[in-house]
Amino acid sequence: LIRGDDIDAIDASVEAAREIVGRVRAQVETDTRTPRVPAGAPPRSAPDVSALSAEQKIRLGLSQRS
C-alpha cells in the first residue's frame, strides 16, 4: 500500500493506506457486532401440552409409555 519516489508521494500513500485500514477496521467491528447464529439444530424441547384436555394428556402419556 505504501509507495512513492519522494517524501510527498510516500506521505500521500501512507495517508491512503490509513484510510483503507480505517475502513477495514470499521467493517470488522460491524461484523463482530452482528449476532451470530449457532451451527446445528436448536435443542429439542418437550411438546407443549398446555392446550390439550386432561383426556388428551393422559392418552399422550400412555402412548409414550409403550
Side-chain angles (χ1 to χ4, degrees):
L1 294 174
I2 309 298
R3 59 178 112 168
D5 294 332
D6 60 2
I7 297 295
D8 291 333
I10 292 172
D11 286 343
S13 78
V14 167
E15 188 57 38
R18 285 186 177 149
E19 289 178 18
I20 291 171
V21 168
R23 281 188 264 145
V24 169
R25 181 177 288 139
Q27 183 63 42
V28 168
E29 288 173 359
T30 301
D31 290 347
T32 58
R33 286 188 208 137
T34 305
R36 297 195 174 164
V37 177
R44 293 185 182 205
S45 59
D48 183 18
V49 294
S50 61
L52 297 178
S53 68
E55 180 184 350
Q56 291 171 324
K57 289 177 185 176
I58 292 169
R59 289 181 190 271
L60 177 65
L62 289 175
S63 70
Q64 291 176 347
R65 217 171 156 199
S66 45

